[in-house]
């Protein structure tokens, strides 16, 4: 059933991390291939001609693009191991809602925090914290968003933790001070091998952001 | 079974339409509540969708489901007859890919092409044409994106096939034309001619003046800025 599985990815991508975590949670072996986004491989361009982006999951030669679609695909194909998405339709809808919310807000706001300054940055920080607080509300007293085990929302959100240090340094604020419950949840997730091994070191991500800022001429 | 199904929507909203078409395809009866989204949103809407405060909202036995694509997946999983998503995980992933493409790239860019200022319009229009070309390739000789019958991709593509076509008529643009995109154009005709689609689409003679009014107001507001 596993067949040949390849993940085309880029080490700091929170989207790629989602698929890494999903595959690790289910104990599915795969080949990880690092892409140089300034020099994309022929395989990437062939497998994702529409967007030319990572991550791309290639299963028996057939590509699955977009991280949320990959996580759902992985959960459906390897449904008997560590299920990530609830089986009840209403619980699934709730999980999908929050993943959609994360996709619409977290990456874009986070990008604004490291890319901008002044009022634009201040607004982005404010909204970013508001979003995290909404997510804290959804988490409530649960161990994970998925309940007692990692779920779809956990997998979609936790990769952004690897960028928190970069956001904090660029935005001069503390996420833990504003959202302690969120950080407590992150720490629980990081105790899982599937998460810890899939996320890069925060300092490395910060160095990467600093390089990007130089390249883009951002102060 | 005594199920209570309600849709909070807006008659001219392409997103709201998706939810209604899905329920009709499944033969599910529902109560429709039209929200005054440009005026006063009801307390119920704000209660059921506190995060985004938008339509559509599907209420099933008192539980709210929001975001049109989330609603589509929920309806498919709850009422299993007349499926509109493939069973095979890979085919399902492919359908979801095109749905995301329409929602994030195709539809917003086409919408923007109608509204954007003269100096930006050419660039946006070119981008929109590229997206239409890509979308047409997804049809791949089939009658509908779902094959012989309407699937979830078709439901989502109604935003492009119907709502955008109406908007373009007003703007005197003709991006989705028979000569530029013959397959896609044919699809939009076939889609709009399905009886279940025809009976539920907002009528053109109502939609045209409405969108005209929206665009005029937008241009007015932007001229002042």
């Amino acid at each position: 059933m596993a067949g040949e599985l390849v993940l085309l990815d880029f080490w700091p991508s929170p989207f790629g991390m989602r698929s890494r975590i999903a595959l690790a949670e289910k104990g599915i072996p795969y080949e990880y291939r690092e892409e140089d986004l300034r020099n994309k491989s022929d395989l990437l361009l062939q497998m994702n001609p529409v967007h030319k982006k990572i991550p791309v999951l290639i299963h028996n030669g057939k590509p699955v693009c977009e991280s949320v679609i990959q996580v759902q695909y992985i959960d459906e194909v390897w449904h008997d191991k560590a299920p990530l998405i609830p089986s009840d339709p209403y619980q699934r809808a709730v999980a999908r809602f929050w993943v959609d919310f994360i996709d619409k807000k977290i990456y874009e706001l986070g990008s604004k925090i490291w890319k901008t300054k002044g009022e634009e940055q201040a607004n982005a920080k404010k909204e970013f914290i508001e979003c995290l607080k909404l997510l804290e509300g959804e988490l409530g007293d649960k161990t994970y968003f998925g309940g007692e085990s990692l779920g779809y929302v956990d997998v979609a959100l936790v990769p952004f933790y690897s960028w928190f240090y970069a956001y904090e340094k660029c935005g001069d604020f503390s996420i833990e001070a504003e959202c302690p419950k969120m950080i407590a949840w992150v720490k629980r997730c990081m105790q899982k091998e599937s998460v810890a091994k899939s996320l890069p070191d925060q300092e490395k991500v910060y160095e990467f952001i600093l390089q990007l800022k130089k390249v883009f001429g951002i102060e | 079974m005594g199920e209570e199904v309600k849709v909070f929507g807006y008659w001219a909203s392409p997103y709201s339409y998706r939810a209604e078409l899905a329920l009709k395809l499944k033969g599910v009866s529902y109560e429709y509540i039209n929200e005054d989204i440009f005026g006063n949103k009801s307390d119920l809407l704000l209660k059921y969708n506190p995060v985004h405060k938008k339509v559509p909202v599907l209420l099933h036995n008192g539980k709210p489901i929001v975001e049109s694509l989330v609603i589509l997946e929920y309806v498919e999983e709850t009422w299993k007859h007349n499926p509109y998503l493939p069973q095979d995980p890979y085919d399902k992933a492919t359908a979801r890919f095109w749905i995301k493409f329409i929602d994030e790239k195709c539809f917003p860019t086409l919408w923007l092409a109608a509204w954007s200022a003269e100096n930006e319009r050419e660039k946006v229009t070119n981008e929109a044409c590229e997206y239409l070309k890509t979308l047409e390739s997804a049809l791949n000789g089939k009658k509908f994106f779902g094959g012989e019958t309407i699937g979830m991709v078709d439901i989502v593509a109604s935003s492009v096939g119907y709502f955008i076509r109406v908007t373009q008529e007003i703007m005197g643009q003709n991006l989705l034309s028979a000569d530029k995109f013959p397959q896609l154009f044919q699809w939009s005709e076939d889609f709009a001619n399905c009886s279940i689609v025809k009976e539920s689409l907002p009528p053109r003679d109502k939609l045209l003046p409405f969108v005209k009014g929206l665009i005029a107001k937008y241009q007015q507001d932007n001229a002042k800025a």
Side-chain angles (χ1 to χ4, degrees):
Chain A
M1 210 214 297
E4 190 199 71
L5 207 47
V6 178
L7 182 67
L8 304 181
D9 201 349
F10 179 52
W11 68 269
S13 163
F15 305 102
M17 288 173 220
R18 291 168 168 177
S19 298
R20 291 176 225 165
I21 297 170
L23 290 165
E25 268 291 289
K26 292 173 184 274
I28 302 161
Y30 66 98
E31 183 195 336
Y32 177 94
R33 278 198 216 170
E34 188 71 30
E35 281 284 333
D36 176 2
L37 297 187
R38 293 159 302 177
N39 189 15
K40 293 174 182 177
S41 71
D42 288 340
L43 183 63
L44 173 57
L45 300 177
Q46 183 199 349
M47 290 284 140
N48 191 357
V50 174
H51 301 299
K52 305 175 176 54
K53 283 182 171 178
I54 54 92
V56 179
L57 183 70
I58 310 172
H59 188 200
N60 294 329
K62 298 201 290 188
V64 180
C65 304
E66 302 291 334
S67 64
V68 293
I69 297 176
Q70 286 164 11
V71 173
Q72 290 181 86
Y73 176 79
I74 291 165
D75 206 49
E76 284 160 18
V77 174
W78 292 277
H79 50 84
D80 46 349
K81 297 185 188 182
L84 296 168
I85 303 174
S87 42
D88 169 68
Y90 185 70
Q91 293 307 320
R92 289 163 80 89
V94 172
R96 287 194 167 114
F97 171 83
W98 288 108
V99 171
D100 174 73
F101 176 80
I102 291 161
D103 262 8
K104 284 188 164 102
K105 300 281 186 185
I106 302 296
Y107 184 69
E108 201 186 300
L109 289 170
S111 294
K112 280 196 177 149
I113 294 173
W114 71 261
K115 280 183 183 170
T116 68
K117 281 242 166 302
E119 198 181 331
E120 202 179 345
Q121 190 193 52
N123 287 336
K125 273 161 60 180
K126 182 165 170 280
E127 207 185 332
F128 182 77
I129 293 296
E130 278 165 9
C131 290
L132 289 187
K133 287 201 157 116
L134 270 174
L135 286 160
E136 279 185 326
E138 172 58 21
L139 177 66
D141 293 321
K142 301 197 293 285
T143 311
Y144 306 103
F145 286 92
E148 286 306 304
S149 55
L150 274 191
Y152 189 32
V153 181
D154 302 275
V155 173
L157 182 59
V158 81
F160 291 99
Y161 172 65
S162 62
W163 286 55
F164 277 11
Y165 180 70
Y167 297 154
E168 286 173 324
K169 292 288 278 186
C170 295
D172 187 28
F173 69 126
S174 161
I175 295 172
E176 184 158 16
E178 307 266 5
C179 305
K181 273 184 111 174
M182 174 100 334
I183 299 301
W185 161 79
V186 166
K187 292 191 169 150
R188 290 195 290 274
C189 290
M190 289 297 281
Q191 284 179 353
K192 305 209 100 205
E193 201 180 328
S194 59
V195 177
K197 289 210 161 147
S198 302
L199 264 57
D201 177 66
Q202 290 196 82
E203 298 243 9
K204 261 188 94 181
V205 173
Y206 179 50
E207 271 165 39
F208 168 72
I209 295 294
L210 289 179
Q211 274 180 25
L212 272 187
K213 281 171 82 137
K214 266 199 209 129
V215 166
F216 288 120
I218 305 166
E219 277 298 295
Chain B
M1 223 220 286
E3 293 202 273
E4 186 200 58
V5 184
K6 293 187 186 183
V7 172
F8 293 80
Y10 185 66
W11 70 273
S13 159
Y15 299 103
S16 184
Y17 177 68
R18 293 168 180 180
E20 289 200 84
L21 181 56
L23 291 168
K24 285 191 198 287
L25 285 169
K26 299 280 185 181
V28 174
S29 321
Y30 62 95
E31 182 192 337
Y32 177 78
I33 298 130
N34 196 55
E35 282 284 331
D36 178 16
I37 60 173
F38 294 102
N40 271 324
K41 292 176 181 176
S42 74
D43 288 341
L44 277 181
L45 176 65
L46 301 177
K47 172 182 156 189
Y48 292 133
N49 192 358
V51 175
H52 299 304
K53 306 175 175 52
K54 286 180 172 179
V55 294
V57 173
L58 173 70
L59 200 67
H60 185 205
N61 293 331
K63 297 198 283 195
I65 299 106
V66 312
E67 291 298 306
S68 65
L69 299 188
V70 177
I71 292 171
L72 290 185
E73 297 260 8
Y74 177 80
V75 171
E76 172 73 352
E77 288 163 4
T78 303
W79 292 279
K80 297 192 197 292
H81 55 280
N82 299 351
Y84 50 65
L85 256 189
Q87 290 284 1
D88 172 71
Y90 188 77
D91 294 338
K92 212 186 277 197
T94 304
R96 286 177 177 146
F97 175 84
W98 290 115
I99 286 160
K100 209 165 195 272
F101 176 76
I102 292 165
D103 226 34
E104 291 177 8
K105 302 281 182 193
C106 211
F107 179 50
T109 309
L110 278 162
W111 193 239
L112 208 60
W115 298 62
S116 54
E118 289 282 351
N119 56 334
E120 287 174 351
R121 198 170 296 163
E122 197 186 327
K123 179 168 171 268
V124 181
T125 302
N126 287 339
E127 207 183 328
C129 281
E130 282 303 313
Y131 290 145
L132 283 176
K133 205 162 123 193
T134 304
L135 186 61
E136 192 174 55
S137 76
L139 260 180
N140 203 19
K142 303 191 299 267
K143 184 174 185 193
F144 298 111
F145 290 98
E148 281 305 301
T149 53
I150 290 174
M152 195 160 142
V153 181
D154 299 274
I155 300 173
V156 175
S158 65
S159 316
V160 171
Y162 185 75
F163 292 85
I164 288 290
R165 274 188 67 183
V166 169
T167 308
Q168 296 211 331
E169 223 182 285
I170 300 162
M171 300 309 289
Q173 296 167 342
N174 198 18
L175 284 182
L176 184 42
S177 67
D179 40 77
K180 279 200 215 96
F181 303 105
Q183 273 196 71
L184 202 56
F185 182 83
Q186 189 57 50
W187 163 80
S188 68
E189 296 278 293
D190 290 337
F191 177 78
N193 278 327
C194 289
S195 53
I196 203 165
V197 170
K198 222 188 325 208
E199 75 192 31
S200 53
L201 279 171
R204 276 187 68 234
D205 56 1
K206 238 186 127 188
L207 199 56
L208 268 166
F210 170 78
V211 178
K212 223 176 188 168
L214 263 188
I215 294 178
K217 185 175 184 303
Y218 173 83
Q219 287 171 339
Q220 204 177 34
D221 289 346
N222 278 9
K224 281 188 221 149

